[in-house]
Amino acid sequence: GAGVSQSPSNKVTEKGKDVELRCDPISGHTALYWYRQSLGQGLEFLIYFQGNSAPDKSGLPSDRFSAERTGGSVSTLTIQRTQQEDSAVYLCASSLGYGGETQYFGPGTRLLVL
Amino acid sequence: RKEVEQDPGPFNVPEGATVAFNCTYSNSASQSFFWYRQDCRKEPKLLMSVYSSGNEDGRFTAQLNRASQYISLLIRDSKLSDSATYLCVVSQGSARQLTFGSGTQLTVLP
C-alpha cells in the first residue's frame, strides 16, 4: 500500500516568508509525528498528533512553528517568518497509534531559507 | 548529556567483517527501543526493534541491557549494501515520540 507522502519535496524560500509543509500519513494510522533533521544532526521531535487528542507540541522550537491535522488524516506544518536556521529536512511519520509501534517515515521536505 | 548517545563513528570496514554499534540512553523510563537505518538523503527506515531477551534477524543481532541502559547492534558478514547511518532510537511509552541518537555512519569497503 501507499506509504507516508510529503509535499513539496523541496522548498526554497526567502527569509521572512511563511511556508506550509504537507504530510499524508498511511491510511488507518491514528498517530502522526513531525520531526526535523538539520545537516549532520540527528532527528529532532517537533509535534505529535494522536487521534482526536490535543497534540503534544512540546518539541516546537518557537511560536513561529505550528501544525494542524484535519479530519484525523492530513497534517500541515506551518513555519511563519522563516529564518535561515529553519533550513532542514522536515520529516513526517505515522504509526498505528498508542505508543511503541513502528513509525513509518515519509521522504521529507528539504527546506532552504535564503 | 544527550538522551541517546551513540558511538561517534564513522566505521569503515571491509566486506565480510563483523561490526558492532553501541548506544546508551539516559531515561530509565524508556520502554521501546529500535535501530533505524538511514541512507544518504533518504528517510529513516526501521531496521529492527530491540527486545530485552535480545533478538536476531539474519545477519543482524540486537541486544538490550536495561540495568546498564545500553543497546547494541551487531552486523555479521557485512555487505556493501549495509553502508548507511544507523540510528539508535528510544521511546518513552507515555510520550510516544521517538528520541534519536545522532547516528553512526558505516561504510563497508570492497
Side-chain angles (χ1 to χ4, degrees):
Chain A
V4 178
S5 60
Q6 292 186 245
S7 61
S9 300
N10 296 279
K11 176 72 176 178
V12 181
T13 191
E14 293 179 349
K15 178 181 173 181
K17 295 284 179 73
D18 297 353
V19 295
E20 282 190 356
L21 312 179
R22 177 187 168 106
C23 171
D24 277 277
I26 293 172
S27 178
H29 280 193
T30 63
L32 187 148
Y33 311 77
W34 283 97
Y35 297 86
R36 75 174 174 182
Q37 187 172 31
S38 302
L39 188 63
Q41 301 296 313
L43 276 80
E44 174 190 5
F45 165 76
L46 297 177
I47 189 169
Y48 157 66
F49 296 89
Q50 172 60 66
N52 296 320
S53 302
D56 175 357
K57 305 179 182 180
S58 60
L60 295 178
S62 78
D63 58 8
R64 296 187 295 105
F65 287 72
S66 63
E68 61 178 23
R69 189 178 184 192
T70 54
S73 181
V74 172
S75 178
T76 302
L77 177 69
T78 301
I79 308 173
Q80 296 178 308
R81 305 181 301 282
T82 51
Q83 304 294 313
Q84 289 182 332
E85 61 263 29
D86 298 336
S87 298
V89 178
Y90 288 81
L91 290 155
C92 176
S94 71
S95 72
L96 283 170
Y98 306 107
E101 296 93 350
T102 303
Q103 292 185 19
Y104 297 88
F105 284 82
T109 294
R110 297 181 183 280
L111 175 65
L112 177 61
V113 181
L114 301 176
Chain B
R1 182 186 173 190
K2 291 182 179 178
E3 288 189 59
V4 180
E5 297 204 55
Q6 296 187 236
D7 284 349
F11 285 65
N12 298 314
V13 302
E15 268 188 292
T18 296
V19 60
F21 302 139
N22 302 316
C23 170
T24 57
Y25 60 95
S26 61
N27 189 335
S28 59
S30 299
Q31 297 186 14
S32 302
F33 310 89
F34 311 90
W35 284 100
Y36 274 70
R37 168 193 170 131
Q38 186 172 27
D39 292 285
C40 187
R41 299 181 68 82
K42 297 287 189 180
E43 71 273 22
K45 292 184 178 178
L46 179 68
L47 178 65
M48 59 196 304
S49 301
V50 187
Y51 304 114
S52 296
S53 55
N55 48 300
E56 187 174 311
D57 182 2
R59 298 181 294 109
F60 298 84
T61 300
Q63 299 272 351
L64 167 65
N65 184 323
R66 286 187 183 269
S68 301
Q69 295 179 202
Y70 171 94
I71 307 161
S72 66
L73 176 68
L74 183 76
I75 306 175
R76 292 183 300 277
D77 187 24
S78 53
K79 311 292 185 188
L80 296 176
S81 57
D82 294 336
S83 298
T85 296
Y86 290 82
L87 302 166
C88 177
V89 184
V90 170
S91 173
Q92 283 79 50
S94 60
R96 310 295 195 259
Q97 74 266 23
L98 301 177
T99 302
F100 287 78
S102 55
T104 302
Q105 185 177 350
L106 171 66
T107 301
V108 180
L109 304 168

